[in-house]
Amino acid sequence: MLLRSSPAKDHQKNSPPKSQGIIEDSIKERCCFTDPQIDRIRCCFPATTVFKPFNPNALSDHISDNWVAFPVTPFTIGYTYPFPAFTQSFFSLTGISYIQAMPMIWRVLYSLERIIEQEGIDLGMAELGELYDLTTFGSHRYLFKRNPGEEHPIFKATKNDTNWKRRFFFVRRDSIPDGKDLPTMWAIHGAGKSTKSASKFSITDLTNIKSSRKKTHVSPSASIPKAPVKGKGGKKRKTFEAEDLQGLPLICHQFLEYFNDKFAEIEDYVGHVEDQDKRIADLQ
């Protein structure tokens, strides 16, 4: 005897995502990532992934128990899904949805993933929290922020992306690993008037977070050269006595010096990412 699912269950499974009312319905926000473009990033997901057909009226804040929104940016710079442990730890800690992360966040996380993978540096959320705060300037989309006057450890990560707000797509939750555990609503930190300057990601939130990678740790008592660290354009950062540092600040300083030594390598990588972005833009 053939078994058929009930119409009510079929309707629930195919029910369209609905807006949370966070994003203004305008041409500047409506999806522009079409079906042919979706086909080009299918290889970044497991073969069983079900993609929702392109809808020109879809907004990135559309939510559903059955569908989850993904931004295009991570898959144009080298990510595949499921995301690596360091990246996923960031989203699990902050509670924000993938679609809420601005392109700058994806570039920083991917650069750090490369460092972890290629160099065996043990980085976790505590080290990331020492480098950046998480900030929003409205619409509950987030980016990393440094204190005034501090240079970004990863250069060119803040460059603008054309139409990044409109480049997203939906996949069915039950067709991807851990899809049912992904947020069903946007995280709203600092609701109300504070949304323009919310900063909810700080070291105080990370004291119990450890890296999921078991690789060589940087010794808190290691000797640190006293030479100044050069930033972008050859500018010198403020020098200080490294032996006065202890624990996490010392590890952070060691990491920044390591990044300076690897600057040429990172520049090559960023150039490769820019070439990929240009190729994707030419295909549109």
Side-chain angles (χ1 to χ4, degrees):
M1 182 176 63
L2 295 176
L3 298 178
R4 296 181 181 178
S5 58
S6 68
K9 289 183 178 179
D10 285 342
H11 175 73
Q12 182 181 11
K13 191 171 184 178
N14 296 318
S15 59
K18 297 181 180 179
S19 175
Q20 297 176 80
I22 295 175
I23 302 300
E24 181 183 357
D25 187 359
S26 70
I27 190 61
K28 295 182 179 180
E29 296 285 355
R30 292 176 189 167
C31 184
C32 69
F33 201 65
T34 62
D35 289 332
Q37 292 171 315
I38 291 175
D39 287 340
R40 297 188 190 106
I41 54 91
R42 286 180 183 272
C43 60
C44 299
F45 285 80
T48 56
T49 302
V50 177
F51 293 80
K52 190 172 182 62
F54 168 63
N55 177 0
N57 295 316
L59 299 174
S60 58
D61 74 334
H62 279 184
I63 58 171
S64 169
D65 290 335
N66 307 307
W67 299 94
V68 59
F70 280 87
V72 173
T73 298
F75 307 106
T76 64
I77 63 176
Y79 271 114
T80 59
Y81 186 86
F83 296 128
F86 179 81
T87 297
Q88 187 55 52
S89 294
F90 165 75
F91 287 98
S92 298
L93 174 69
T94 60
I96 68 174
S97 301
Y98 299 142
I99 196 67
Q100 292 181 263
M102 295 172 67
M104 181 258 197
I105 285 183
W106 290 107
R107 290 198 188 95
V108 169
L109 293 178
Y110 188 68
S111 297
L112 296 178
E113 288 281 10
R114 299 268 293 186
I115 296 297
I116 293 170
E117 178 183 359
Q118 295 182 2
E119 305 298 335
I121 301 296
D122 189 15
L123 299 175
M125 292 299 100
E127 288 80 13
L128 182 61
E130 278 288 294
L131 296 173
Y132 293 103
D133 283 329
L134 188 66
T135 301
T136 179
F137 294 107
S139 298
H140 301 287
R141 292 181 173 111
Y142 293 88
L143 71 158
F144 288 133
K145 179 184 178 183
R146 295 280 284 169
N147 292 328
E150 292 183 343
E151 296 180 354
H152 285 276
I154 302 176
F155 304 125
K156 297 186 179 181
T158 59
K159 84 179 190 69
N160 189 33
D161 288 58
T162 303
N163 277 339
W164 65 268
K165 294 180 182 180
R166 304 180 62 200
R167 302 177 69 218
F168 58 90
F169 56 93
F170 295 87
V171 302
R172 207 170 70 196
R173 291 178 181 273
D174 61 5
S175 70
I176 58 175
D178 302 318
K180 293 183 178 180
D181 297 327
L182 298 178
T184 56
M185 297 186 69
W186 280 27
I188 301 177
H189 297 305
K193 296 181 180 180
S194 64
T195 56
K196 294 291 184 180
S197 59
S199 180
K200 291 291 182 179
F201 181 44
S202 65
I203 193 61
T204 57
D205 302 318
L206 304 171
T207 53
N208 295 321
I209 304 298
K210 296 181 180 179
S211 173
S212 60
R213 299 264 182 170
K214 294 183 178 180
K215 295 189 177 181
T216 305
H217 289 266
V218 182
S219 172
S221 61
S223 175
I224 302 293
K226 298 182 180 180
V229 179
K230 292 185 179 180
K232 188 175 182 180
K235 295 180 180 179
K236 293 183 178 180
R237 297 177 184 168
K238 184 178 180 181
T239 60
F240 53 88
E241 296 296 326
E243 60 266 24
D244 293 337
L245 298 177
Q246 295 286 334
L248 186 59
L250 178 57
I251 294 174
C252 180
H253 176 64
Q254 290 174 315
F255 169 67
L256 289 175
E257 289 217 330
Y258 164 81
F259 229 113
N260 182 64
D261 293 338
K262 292 289 182 178
F263 178 70
E265 180 180 331
I266 294 171
E267 284 274 61
D268 290 340
Y269 157 69
V270 173
H272 174 67
V273 170
E274 291 177 339
D275 290 341
Q276 283 187 319
D277 288 343
K278 289 178 182 177
R279 286 196 294 270
I280 293 294
D282 290 341
L283 293 174
Q284 295 179 351

